[in-house]
């Protein structure tokens, strides 16, 4: 394996300003999930200008760019997500969001800028390039709404993609420090709503009513026992009830109560087990209190991100080769989720992390209105991405 030495290093340097400009442009114009129209237009325009074949409108605002190298080789995809979040940006940066209530607070502006620059770099050297590079710009990652319809729309066919790679920026690592976690790397996520129907009445006479708030409380506590008593100790699951709604006054027992929560696991079998149990569990607890509970899932959720061992080892070699030991950290699994999982279920590949955190202080978490990235991490991400694509397209690894 060889480093992306000259002329690549030179070209990366030349394009680093345009990489940052592009990221700042997306940052300034964030768009919510499945409504990324301007973002998609910029992507398509840049890819066309670089000479790629471009398909738009996949899953609504998804874009696919295909770059045919002039030498034979495999078809390798690079995936980037492009959506922003419903937050009001706090940091007073010169490229602060101009869309009220919308903010790139997960780093997807950086993912998009890196992927476009990667496509431009490879396109500029098409004559030396083996294989076919496919660039997947996926909408709606934050709502787990884009990956599935994009795959169904044929994003991985014509040409038939053989491997798929991607990266997520993280403020949890110092800028430029990269890592890959083999096996389960990110959790599955499923969102559920529970409606509890009781019977309202006077707070002084609970025996004449059926109190949905007491039922809700028992369901919340009971769900924790579902994890500790039914999930094998070696496996992990997190059940969080994030919202409870009911009632109007101290002394009125309400008619209904609502819970909203999420379930996360690293294992498809544990996920299936809990998805199956949750509904019955909630309704049986309610029955014990003479009430009714109905649990419904919101959307389809997403499975865990699982990096195959050999693809992870390959990416790790590319990282060490490109950045050296000092910038490669040990990969850790996180309970966050990402629908890159669906691409990795469809094709072998790997999803790795690139640090954009401040080295000297506690960073604001992703999805926080104070989120801020150290852009010094972007060129490091681009270098690893380029190294991975060059070697994968050459059939190495
Ligand atoms: Zn996010
Ligand atoms: Zn994200």
């Amino acid at each position: 394996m060889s480093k992306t030495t000259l002329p690549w290093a030179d070209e990366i340097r030349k394009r680093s300003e345009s990489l940052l400009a592009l990221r700042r442009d997306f940052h300034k114009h964030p768009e919510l999930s499945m409504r990324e129209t301007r973002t998609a237009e910029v992507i398509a325009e840049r890819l066309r200008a670089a000479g790629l074949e471009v398909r738009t409108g996949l899953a609504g605002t998804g874009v696919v760019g295909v770059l045919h190298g002039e030498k034979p080789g495999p078809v390798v995809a690079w995936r980037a997500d492009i959506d922003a979040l419903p937050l009001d940006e706090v940091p007073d940066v010169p490229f602060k969001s101009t869309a009220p209530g919308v903010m790139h607070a997960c780093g997807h502006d950086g993912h998009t800028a890196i992927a476009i620059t990667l496509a431009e770099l490879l396109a500029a050297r098409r004559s030396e390039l083996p294989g076919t590079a496919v660039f997947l710009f996926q909408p709606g990652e934050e709502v787990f709404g884009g990956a599935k319809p994009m795959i169904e729309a044929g994003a991985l066919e014509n040409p038939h993609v053989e491997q798929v790679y991607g990266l997520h920026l993280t403020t949890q690592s110092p800028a430029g420090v990269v890592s890959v976690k083999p096996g389960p790397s990110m959790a599955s996520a499923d969102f559920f709503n529970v409606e509890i129907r009781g019977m309202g009445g006077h707070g002084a006479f609970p025996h004449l009513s059926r109190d949905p708030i007491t039922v809700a409380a028992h369901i919340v506590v009971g769900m924790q026992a579902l994890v500790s008593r039914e999930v094998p100790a070696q496996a992990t699951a997190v059940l969080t009830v994030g919202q409870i709604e009911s009632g109007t006054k101290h002394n009125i027992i309400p008619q209904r109560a609502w819970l909203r929560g999420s379930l996360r696991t690293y294992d498809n079998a544990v996920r299936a087990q809990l998805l199956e149990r949750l509904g019955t569990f909630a309704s049986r607890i309610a029955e014990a209190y003479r009430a009714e509970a109905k649990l419904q899932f919101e959307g389809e959720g997403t499975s865990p991100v699982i990096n195959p061992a050999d693809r992870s080892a390959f990416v790790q070699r590319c990282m060490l080769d490109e950045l050296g030991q000092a910038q490669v950290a040990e990969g850790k699994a996180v309970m966050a989720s990402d629908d890159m999982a669906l691409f990795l279920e469809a094709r072998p590949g790997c999803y790795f992390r690139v640090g954009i955190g401040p080295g000297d202080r506690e960073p604001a978490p992703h999805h926080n209105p104070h989120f801020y990235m150290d852009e010094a991490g972007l060129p490091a991400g681009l270098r690893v991405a380029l190294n991975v694509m060059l070697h994968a397209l050459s059939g190495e690894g």
Side-chain angles (χ1 to χ4, degrees), residues 49-377:
L52 274 75
E53 275 171 33
V54 177
R55 279 185 275 159
T56 57
L58 285 92
T61 42
V63 181
V64 174
V66 180
L67 173 66
H68 296 282
E70 287 181 11
K71 296 177 185 169
V75 181
V76 183
W78 182 266
R79 175 271 197 183
D81 46 8
I82 65 174
D83 55 333
L85 288 157
L87 290 167
D88 266 315
E89 181 162 25
V90 177
D92 213 1
V93 288
F95 44 91
K96 190 170 177 168
S97 167
T98 53
V102 190
M103 175 189 179
H104 269 293
C106 200
H108 300 186
D109 47 349
H111 302 171
T112 312
I114 287 174
I116 292 174
T117 310
L118 178 63
E120 290 176 345
L121 274 165
L122 292 173
R125 305 199 145 255
R126 176 196 302 239
S127 57
E128 303 155 33
L129 194 71
T132 302
V134 176
F135 296 88
L136 308 167
F137 292 88
Q138 183 216 303
E141 187 282 324
E142 297 290 1
V143 297
F144 307 135
K148 191 171 181 227
M150 227 178 139
I151 294 169
E152 284 169 354
L156 296 175
E157 297 300 336
N158 300 316
H160 180 82
V161 169
E162 292 159 71
Q163 295 175 31
V164 59
Y165 296 90
L167 65 80
H168 204 300
L169 298 167
T170 173
T171 56
Q172 296 304 308
S173 302
V177 172
V178 299
S179 63
V180 56
K181 165 72 176 65
S185 168
M186 297 179 82
S188 67
D190 292 280
F191 301 111
F192 58 84
N193 301 316
V194 185
E195 185 183 1
I196 300 151
R197 287 168 178 271
M199 192 177 76
H202 197 296
F205 313 115
H207 61 292
L208 300 178
S209 65
R210 294 171 196 172
D211 181 3
I213 291 184
T214 306
V215 175
H218 279 275
I219 291 176
V220 172
V221 175
M223 278 180 177
Q224 300 313 312
L226 192 59
V227 174
S228 78
R229 300 297 84 188
E230 296 194 19
V231 174
Q234 298 84 348
T236 319
V238 172
L239 259 167
T240 293
V241 173
Q243 199 177 356
I244 300 185
E245 220 181 297
S246 186
T248 51
K249 202 173 180 295
H250 308 69
N251 59 353
I252 298 177
I253 291 173
Q255 291 275 107
R256 285 193 241 175
W258 294 268
L259 305 177
R260 302 182 82 201
S262 58
L263 163 69
R264 296 171 195 272
T265 72
Y266 285 133
D267 184 307
N268 275 319
V270 174
R271 179 188 180 207
Q273 177 197 344
L274 288 175
L275 288 183
E276 158 121 36
R277 278 287 284 146
L278 269 176
T280 332
F281 191 79
S283 68
R284 294 284 159 81
I285 288 181
E287 251 173 57
Y289 294 87
R290 298 170 299 140
E292 277 172 39
K294 205 163 144 194
L295 183 141
Q296 271 176 325
F297 292 100
E298 205 173 288
E300 297 193 40
T302 187
S303 38
V305 172
I306 296 173
N307 288 322
D310 65 330
R311 295 302 86 209
S312 307
F314 162 64
V315 166
Q316 172 110 9
R317 287 199 299 276
C318 293
M319 287 172 166
L320 289 169
D321 168 52
E322 186 63 38
L323 301 177
Q325 187 77 55
Q327 269 175 267
V328 182
E330 194 194 338
K332 290 191 181 112
V334 293
M335 264 291 162
S337 310
D338 197 303
D339 62 8
M340 174 68 174
L342 304 188
F343 288 105
L344 291 174
E345 278 181 348
R347 300 289 188 274
C350 184
Y351 201 40
F352 60 92
R353 289 190 195 101
V354 175
I356 46 161
D360 52 344
R361 63 189 154 88
E362 189 60 25
H366 290 238
H367 293 208
N368 180 297
H370 292 273
F371 178 85
Y372 176 81
M373 74 162 74
D374 183 342
E375 290 174 329

